[in-house]
């Protein structure tokens, strides 16, 4: 591990936290399924006691995750939502959280419908202008929570600018880095206190795991979260930890191709007769294209667009694709397409969705690593079929 500390991202993705098993020489990390570990006597554990508390496969994943974000600490959870819930359990009734206005529907649900009734106050605000933070900070504000790019309207938030404002008031800043991944964006280097991920997405990359994680350089936060990780117990299985470790080995390769394909699809859709608007931070038409260039290595693999003719036409198009699968989630090698208003963001009130720009015909895609010509042709035939059925072409 220590030898690897100074290595570059691609090397860390393949190796960090992992060494041949000292017992067998196994090159790949063993999946240690045991729920409990022998002790040399009562209260005399060796390295591990009980798998909710700690597990060798999970610890290896946590070391690897810390190396990728360049953090001192990382903790793995059973899902992105479990990671978020565990962080929010550090707060107390009467505390106040500021979140960006555009959030994954499940994150919104935790904030408003799970933690709200337990006494946690929250305010959502458009932080694409960081000055808005000053308008909503209260004496009891204990956390600021942002996604960038946001899900699903792909707004960007200037992490350094928000972090500076938080720091001057000693408020911790959490960045959900799921859409960008540590390959494209490093929030801790830009001043964030905590980084969270749904490892379900790009980190695992193969749509066969649900998982989450939290990374930090703040040992006080780490200790509190480590306590809650064990006490609440929303931990991932050793098998899932192994799969995420395996997925991470190709993170850098996959991200390069996701980005390349997303650019191709973005330009293709931008000139399509059935498309009103394309939202992709990599397009010069994106209002924060300059911030994307400053803050991210590249603009990522997520893209949203508005179909001409509204939801009815979009619904038809989504049932006509054959390379794109109509499904929730993102970040896998396969391309996915969805309508946030009735799928991933159904838990957000309709007026709030409209205000965010999740308008009639709003579609989100996770651009996979297939041949980009096949992706464009698939979208083209589906959109044209939908357009013809509705007399728009
Ligand atoms: O699904 P889970 O692993 O619990 O992760 C929740 C989560 C957290 N943060 C962001 C930015 C996310 O996008 C998600 C999950 N999102 C989807 C399932 C989706 O389709 O948008």
């Amino acid at each position: 591990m220590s030898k690897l500390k100074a290595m570059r991202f691609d090397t860390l993705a393949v190796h960090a936290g992992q060494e041949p098993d000292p017992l067998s020489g196994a090159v790949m990390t063993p999946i240690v399924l045991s729920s409990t570990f022998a002790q040399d006597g009562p209260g005399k554990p060796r390295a591990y006691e009980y798998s909710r508390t700690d597990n060798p496969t999970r610890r290896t994943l946590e070391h690897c995750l810390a190396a990728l974000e360049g953090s001192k600490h990382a903790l793995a959870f059973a899902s992105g939502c479990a990671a978020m819930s565990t962080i929010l359990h550090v707060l107390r009734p009467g505390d106040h959280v500021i979140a960006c206005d555009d959030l994954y529907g499940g994150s919104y649900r935790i904030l408003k419908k799970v933690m709200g009734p337990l006494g946690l106050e929250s305010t959502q605000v458009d932080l694409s202008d960081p000055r808005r933070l000053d308008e909503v900070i209260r004496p009891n504000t204990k956390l600021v929570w942002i996604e960038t790019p946001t899900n699903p309207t792909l707004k960007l938030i200037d992490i350094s600018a928000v972090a500076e404002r938080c720091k001057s008031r000693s408020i911790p800043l959490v960045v959900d880095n799921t859409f960008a991944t540590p390959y494209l964006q490093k929030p801790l280097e830009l001043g964030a206190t905590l980084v969270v991920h749904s490892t379900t997405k790009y980190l695992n990359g193969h749509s066969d795991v649900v998982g989450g994680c939290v990374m930090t350089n703040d040992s006080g936060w780490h200790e509190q979260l480590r306590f809650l990780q064990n006490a609440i117990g929303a931990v991932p299985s050793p098998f899932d930890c192994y799969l995420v470790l395996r997925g991470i080995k190709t993170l850098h390769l996959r991200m390069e191709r996701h980005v390349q394909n997303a650019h191709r699809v973005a330009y293709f859709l931008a000139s399509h007769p059935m498309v009103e608007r394309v939202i992709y931070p990599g397009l010069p038409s994106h209002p924060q294209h300059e911030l994307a260039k400053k803050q991210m290595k590249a603009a990522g693999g997520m893209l949203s667009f508005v179909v001409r003719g509204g939801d009815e036409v979009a619904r038809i198009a989504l049932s006509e694709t054959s390379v794109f699968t109509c499904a929730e989630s993102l970040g896998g090698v396969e391309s996915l397409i969805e309508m946030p208003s009735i799928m991933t963001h159904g838990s957000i009130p309709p007026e709030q969705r409209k205000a965010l720009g999740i308008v009639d015909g709003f579609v989100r895609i996770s651009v996979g690593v297939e041949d980009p010509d096949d992706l464009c042709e698939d979208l083209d035939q589906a959109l044209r079929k939908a357009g013809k059925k509705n007399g728009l072409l």
Side-chain angles (χ1 to χ4, degrees):
M1 252 301 269
S2 52
K3 270 187 292 179
L4 281 170
K5 276 240 155 74
M7 299 282 174
R8 293 164 183 83
F9 190 93
D10 300 8
T11 311
L12 293 173
V14 177
H15 293 290
Q18 298 151 77
E19 272 168 10
D21 180 44
L23 209 61
S24 64
V27 169
M28 288 297 131
T29 302
I31 305 169
V32 179
L33 292 170
S34 191
S35 57
T36 190
F37 297 85
Q39 307 201 7
D40 289 332
K44 287 190 179 166
R46 298 170 199 173
Y48 298 89
E49 284 169 66
Y50 185 61
S51 272
R52 169 163 38 73
T53 313
D54 203 355
N55 167 280
T57 317
R58 189 173 95 211
R59 194 187 286 184
T60 303
L61 171 63
E62 290 174 341
H63 284 156
C64 179
L65 290 167
L68 295 187
E69 283 287 356
S71 66
K72 267 198 219 150
H73 310 285
L75 294 168
F77 291 91
S79 67
C81 286
M84 179 181 196
S85 302
T86 305
I87 292 172
L88 294 180
H89 271 80
V90 170
L91 305 184
R92 291 287 166 260
D95 286 350
H96 176 241
V97 177
I98 296 170
C100 55
D101 57 347
D102 186 30
L103 275 182
Y104 166 57
S107 304
Y108 169 87
R109 190 168 51 202
I110 293 170
L111 207 55
K112 297 289 180 188
K113 299 185 179 166
V114 178
M115 300 310 289
L118 297 177
L120 193 72
E121 298 168 12
S122 58
T123 306
Q124 286 185 270
V125 65
D126 180 0
L127 288 174
S128 55
D129 178 356
R131 289 171 301 186
R132 300 285 307 276
L133 194 66
D134 303 340
E135 296 163 16
V136 291
I137 284 184
R138 300 186 199 158
N140 59 338
T141 301
K142 293 288 161 56
L143 204 68
V144 173
W145 188 289
I146 62 172
E147 290 177 7
T148 180
T150 64
N151 181 3
T153 64
L154 301 168
K155 280 195 273 196
L156 300 192
I157 297 172
D158 187 330
I159 299 173
S160 302
V162 173
E164 243 170 65
R165 286 181 146 75
C166 288
K167 206 154 274 175
S168 66
R169 295 169 174 91
S170 304
I171 302 171
L173 170 65
V174 186
V175 177
D176 183 332
N177 204 25
T178 299
F179 270 35
T181 82
Y183 183 67
L184 300 180
Q185 178 171 275
K186 289 279 183 52
L188 294 176
E189 288 175 9
L190 300 173
T193 319
L194 302 170
V195 167
V196 299
H197 284 274
S198 166
T199 54
T200 314
K201 311 299 177 334
Y202 289 106
L203 290 177
N204 177 57
H206 296 76
S207 304
D208 50 10
V209 168
V210 173
C213 62
V214 181
M215 288 83 138
T216 186
N217 287 322
D218 183 315
S219 298
W221 264 101
H222 174 68
E223 282 316 313
Q224 293 189 78
L225 293 173
R226 172 112 189 73
F227 168 78
L228 290 173
Q229 181 195 39
N230 177 49
I232 296 173
V235 292
S237 73
F239 184 64
D240 283 350
C241 291
Y242 167 79
L243 284 177
V244 177
L245 270 171
R246 185 164 80 157
I248 285 172
K249 288 180 190 295
T250 55
L251 177 64
H252 50 300
L253 304 173
R254 288 185 282 107
M255 290 316 293
E256 284 292 336
R257 185 59 180 261
H258 283 298
V259 166
Q260 211 180 309
N261 282 3
H263 272 85
R264 276 286 305 281
V265 172
Y267 278 101
F268 172 75
L269 289 175
S271 62
H272 198 280
M274 285 305 296
V275 173
E276 268 177 18
R277 192 158 82 91
V278 178
I279 308 164
Y280 179 59
L283 286 180
S285 61
H286 190 284
Q288 294 158 300
H289 182 58
E290 289 308 312
L291 177 58
K293 287 200 276 186
K294 185 181 105 179
Q295 176 166 283
M296 304 174 76
K297 183 173 171 175
M302 295 301 294
L303 184 158
S304 294
F305 63 101
V306 180
V307 176
R308 191 155 71 85
D311 279 356
E312 217 20 66
V313 181
R315 265 179 213 268
I316 299 171
L318 265 65
S319 43
E320 292 290 350
T321 55
S322 49
V323 183
F324 280 84
T325 303
C326 176
E328 302 198 2
S329 203
L330 58 115
V333 287
E334 73 293 336
S335 291
L336 300 179
I337 189 163
E338 67 120 5
M339 286 174 71
S341 59
I342 38 181
M343 295 172 71
T344 50
H345 292 69
S347 60
I348 293 173
E351 328 74 68
Q352 193 173 334
R353 280 201 308 261
K354 288 261 145 64
L356 285 170
I358 308 172
V359 294
D360 234 26
F362 191 99
V363 170
R364 188 192 78 181
I365 59 180
S366 172
V367 182
V369 300
E370 301 94 336
D371 188 303
D373 288 334
D374 286 332
L375 297 180
C376 294
E377 284 169 20
D378 190 38
L379 290 171
D380 185 44
Q381 64 78 25
L383 286 165
R384 282 183 191 280
K385 258 188 207 148
K388 276 186 194 138
K389 268 194 190 154
N390 280 265
L392 294 169
L393 287 179

